[in-house]
Amino acid sequence: IQRGWGVKSFSFEVREDFVYTSIAPAKPPFSKLDMFLLSRLIGLEREQIGLLKALGYSSGEVASHYAKLVILITAIGILIGYLAGSVLNVLLTRLYATFFHFPYEIFVFSGWLYAAAAVIALSSAFVGAAKSIVDSADISPAIAMRPQSPPSYRKIMPAWFDLSRVL
């Protein structure tokens, strides 16, 4: 690479990539999604959980079932992320080599980076699903077999902010 515009633009490009890759995983997006989906699933399977606990299954066995479900879903996501990330990394390396006229291209597989991504994904999934898993284990059989009570709603706007008068 000749000194001048090419080196500067390449260094800016590398800096941008570093910023993008350091900011993106700062907040795991699926922790709230895991919590929402698993709480809905547990709400739908409430009667079955109560029946299993009435038949002698322990709270730990029920919780481990949902923990295994979280591990399975996260493992599928990790596998898809590994495959897509590797393919996109090779394509991006080729794009840089073509655009900046590098003499050769090197794709380095960093095992520690993939392991760190797996640990972050699993911990994020468990943080998101922890409350739902604990709730599924804490419910007693008699309460679980009853229909779920409707949520209690309350007004969030003051009385003077009533839009029905305007409409």
Side-chain angles (χ1 to χ4, degrees), residues 4-162:
W5 182 84
V7 173
K8 286 183 180 181
S9 66
F10 180 70
S11 64
F12 287 142
E13 188 75 24
V14 169
R15 249 187 250 144
E16 283 179 11
D17 288 346
F18 178 74
V19 169
Y20 290 147
T21 57
S22 61
I23 290 175
K27 182 187 177 294
F30 295 110
S31 61
K32 291 189 186 248
L33 184 65
D34 283 341
M35 181 180 66
F36 173 73
L37 291 178
L38 200 60
S39 66
R40 293 281 303 201
L41 181 65
I42 290 171
L44 290 173
E45 295 181 350
R46 232 172 104 101
E47 295 173 1
Q48 288 84 1
I49 292 170
L51 184 62
L52 288 174
K53 289 181 98 175
L55 290 174
Y57 283 88
S58 69
S59 296
E61 290 171 329
V62 172
S64 71
H65 167 72
Y66 289 108
K68 289 175 192 173
L69 181 64
V70 169
I71 290 172
L72 176 70
I73 292 170
T74 307
I76 291 170
I78 289 170
L79 183 64
I80 291 170
Y82 283 175
L83 294 175
S86 296
V87 168
L88 291 174
N89 195 355
V90 168
L91 292 175
L92 188 63
T93 304
R94 286 185 186 158
L95 180 69
Y96 277 151
T98 304
F99 185 75
F100 292 108
H101 304 290
F102 292 146
Y104 54 90
E105 58 188 68
I106 299 174
F107 170 69
V108 178
F109 175 81
S110 301
W112 68 271
L113 187 63
Y114 284 87
V119 167
I120 290 171
L122 281 171
S123 61
S124 169
F126 274 113
V127 164
K131 183 180 181 330
S132 299
I133 291 173
V134 169
D135 288 347
S136 74
D138 284 347
I139 195 165
S140 68
I143 293 174
M145 287 201 239
R146 286 191 313 185
Q148 194 169 7
S149 60
S152 60
Y153 295 103
R154 59 186 168 86
K155 288 187 175 184
I156 58 171
M157 294 290 188
W160 57 267
F161 192 75
D162 188 13

